[in-house]
Amino acid sequence: MKSFIIIGHKAATAPFSLNDLPGAAGRMDILCRCVNAALFLSHDLRRDVRVYLVLKGEPAPPKLICFDGSGVRYLNPDERSAASLIRKALEKNAQGFWTESTPGVSVRKGGLGDLLSELNRKITYLREDGGDVRGRSFEEPLFVLGDHLGVTDDEEKSIEKYENEVVSVGPLSLHADHCIVLLHNEMDRQENA
Amino acid sequence: MKSFIIIGHKAATAPFSLNDLPGAAGRMDILCRCVNAALFLSHDLRRDVRVYLVLKGEPAPPKLICFDGSGVRYLNPDERSAASLIRKALEKNAQGFWTESTPGVSVRKGGLGDLLSELNRKITYLREDGGDVRGRSFEEPLFVLGDHLGVTDDEEKSIEKYENEVVSVGPLSLHADHCIVLLHNEMDRQENA
């Protein structure tokens, strides 16, 4: 199992319009592209992947949404498709435990700290000054990535409570979904070497 | 200058609804994600990149659209933003020569053969059985990628008229936009080594 956590600092925590993902939904487009990058192969899904979204925007933050590649249904590659499943999850009355909203998609109340505590694993944290991802080996990796606002000091403190390493995917600063593509490629190459 | 050509076999050639990019617009979502992958850095654009879209869907195929990173404006990373600029280009009365529809976006009548003839350069063609991209050097590269339907035999014949090489980005079959991210990463690493 490979897990990705993406932090959406402005991402809406109540149902939103599918016609304005960047604006009213608080850069939900970023999270949707991350779901795509984490789960899609050309004509298949990556069944060994879980994607966790941390939604920190108004009106009811924080909330967590999980896409489980082994069970997800009704997901297509376009942003609007992932957004539609996120919106359905936000229609649920979120509790402090996971509730499935559609097959393979679950929602709960909680923030990054709650999620890291629940998973309780070594964290691989993406930051531009990290060590090169190429040639590293990953076992049951848990990757944490920020959105357009990066990762805050408070979030870094949550991460530092766990065994962790900091990696970088290349010399330029990239969008989170592009980083996920590059992480997968490194793992794909190692698994098929 | 790095150039990417993406072939949209079903992509609409007249203005379409932004609310159904995969369906009525003929998998326009794929082309929009390719524009994003080719042009976006974290908080910047890749100014040395041109993206050419070959639209082969109804009702007026084929048409070509070019996004020029050095001049493009009003482009945001979400699919709907690229789609909106493509739609504006399709509102133009396309001729056999390039017409700018919005800053940095142009449209003309024509297909893959016309475009390759105009560019008249060595082609790097993405295919799963190609040689590994890692470690290759690229000078003024022109990459050609297919959409969910790949590249047809006729398109391969057009490509084979030019000096060409076939490369692969990894062991699994990936979406075209994910391939573009991986190609950029290889070039970024070489330019910043």
Side-chain angles (χ1 to χ4, degrees), chain B residues 51-121:
Chain B
V51 188
Y52 297 93
L53 308 177
V54 182
L55 313 185
K56 299 184 75 168
E58 294 302 324
K63 284 188 182 174
L64 300 166
I65 292 180
C66 175
F67 283 73
D68 184 340
S70 72
V72 70
R73 292 188 63 186
Y74 316 124
L75 178 65
N76 290 312
D78 58 303
E79 286 171 17
R80 198 179 171 94
S81 172
S84 165
L85 295 181
I86 293 170
R87 188 172 70 171
K88 280 202 169 67
L90 292 176
E91 287 167 1
K92 284 270 172 190
N93 181 16
Q95 309 292 323
F97 49 86
W98 292 102
T99 308
E100 195 171 64
S101 47
T102 55
V105 182
S106 307
V107 61
R108 59 163 284 195
K109 277 190 187 171
L112 178 67
D114 303 309
L115 180 59
L116 293 180
S117 161
E118 178 182 311
L119 298 174
N120 194 22
R121 295 225 300 274

Side-chain angles (χ1 to χ4, degrees), chain A residues 14-179:
Chain A
F16 49 84
S17 163
L18 297 179
N19 294 339
D20 186 15
L21 301 179
R27 296 309 311 272
M28 195 66 76
D29 61 309
I30 297 175
L31 301 184
C32 294
R33 285 193 298 279
C34 288
V35 169
N36 169 309
L39 290 177
F40 277 95
L41 291 169
S42 182
H43 291 280
D44 204 357
L45 282 173
R46 293 181 181 272
R47 299 292 175 187
D48 63 338
V49 171
R50 283 200 189 124
V51 188
Y52 298 94
L53 308 177
V54 182
L55 312 185
K56 299 185 75 171
E58 295 302 325
K63 285 187 182 174
L64 300 166
I65 291 180
C66 176
F67 282 74
D68 184 340
S70 72
V72 71
R73 293 188 62 185
Y74 315 124
L75 178 66
N76 290 312
D78 59 304
E79 286 172 16
R80 198 177 170 96
S81 171
S84 164
L85 295 181
I86 293 170
R87 186 171 73 169
K88 280 202 168 69
L90 293 175
E91 286 167 0
K92 285 269 172 189
N93 182 19
Q95 310 290 323
F97 48 86
W98 292 103
T99 308
E100 194 170 63
S101 47
T102 54
V105 182
S106 307
V107 60
R108 58 162 285 194
K109 276 188 185 171
L112 178 66
D114 302 310
L115 179 59
L116 294 180
S117 160
E118 179 183 311
L119 299 174
N120 195 24
R121 296 225 299 273
K122 179 181 173 181
I123 298 166
T124 303
Y125 167 34
L126 274 275
R127 209 173 56 196
E128 288 148 37
D129 61 349
D132 192 357
V133 69
R134 285 200 181 176
R136 282 185 192 236
S137 61
F138 297 100
E139 202 172 325
E140 302 279 313
L142 172 61
F143 298 102
V144 178
L145 302 95
D147 61 2
H148 64 301
L149 300 175
V151 173
T152 67
D153 290 348
D154 276 358
E155 290 158 357
E156 286 218 350
K157 277 181 197 146
S158 295
I159 290 169
E160 285 164 1
K161 289 181 191 158
Y162 300 83
E163 190 190 350
N164 69 82
E165 63 175 347
V166 185
V167 305
S168 158
V169 290
L172 302 183
S173 179
L174 302 179
H175 284 202
D177 59 315
H178 297 177
C179 295

Side-chain angles (χ1 to χ4, degrees), chain A residues 19 22 27 29 33 36-37 40-43 46 77-80 132-134 148 169-175 178 181-182 185-186 188-189 192, chain B residues 19 22 27 29 33 36-37 40-43 46 77-80 132-134 148 169-175 178 181-182 185-186 188-189 192:
Chain A
N19 294 339
R27 296 309 311 272
D29 61 309
R33 285 193 298 279
N36 169 309
F40 277 95
L41 291 169
S42 182
H43 291 280
R46 293 181 181 272
D78 59 304
E79 286 172 16
R80 198 177 170 96
D132 192 357
V133 69
R134 285 200 181 176
H148 64 301
V169 290
L172 302 183
S173 179
L174 302 179
H175 284 202
H178 297 177
V181 170
L182 294 165
N185 184 249
E186 188 59 31
D188 290 343
R189 285 171 174 270
N192 292 275
Chain B
N19 294 341
R27 296 310 309 273
D29 61 308
R33 285 194 297 281
N36 168 310
F40 276 95
L41 292 169
S42 183
H43 291 281
R46 294 181 182 270
D78 58 303
E79 286 171 17
R80 198 179 171 94
D132 192 358
V133 69
R134 284 201 182 176
H148 63 302
V169 291
L172 303 184
S173 179
L174 302 179
H175 284 203
H178 297 176
V181 169
L182 294 164
N185 185 250
E186 188 60 31
D188 290 344
R189 285 172 175 268
N192 293 274

Side-chain angles (χ1 to χ4, degrees), chain B residues 89-164:
Chain B
L90 292 176
E91 287 167 1
K92 284 270 172 190
N93 181 16
Q95 309 292 323
F97 49 86
W98 292 102
T99 308
E100 195 171 64
S101 47
T102 55
V105 182
S106 307
V107 61
R108 59 163 284 195
K109 277 190 187 171
L112 178 67
D114 303 309
L115 180 59
L116 293 180
S117 161
E118 178 182 311
L119 298 174
N120 194 22
R121 295 225 300 274
K122 179 181 173 182
I123 297 165
T124 303
Y125 167 34
L126 274 276
R127 209 173 56 196
E128 288 146 38
D129 61 348
D132 192 358
V133 69
R134 284 201 182 176
R136 283 184 193 237
S137 62
F138 297 101
E139 203 173 324
E140 302 280 315
L142 171 62
F143 298 103
V144 178
L145 301 96
D147 61 2
H148 63 302
L149 299 177
V151 174
T152 66
D153 289 347
D154 275 358
E155 288 156 359
E156 285 216 351
K157 277 182 198 146
S158 295
I159 290 168
E160 285 164 2
K161 289 182 191 157
Y162 300 84
E163 190 190 351
N164 69 82

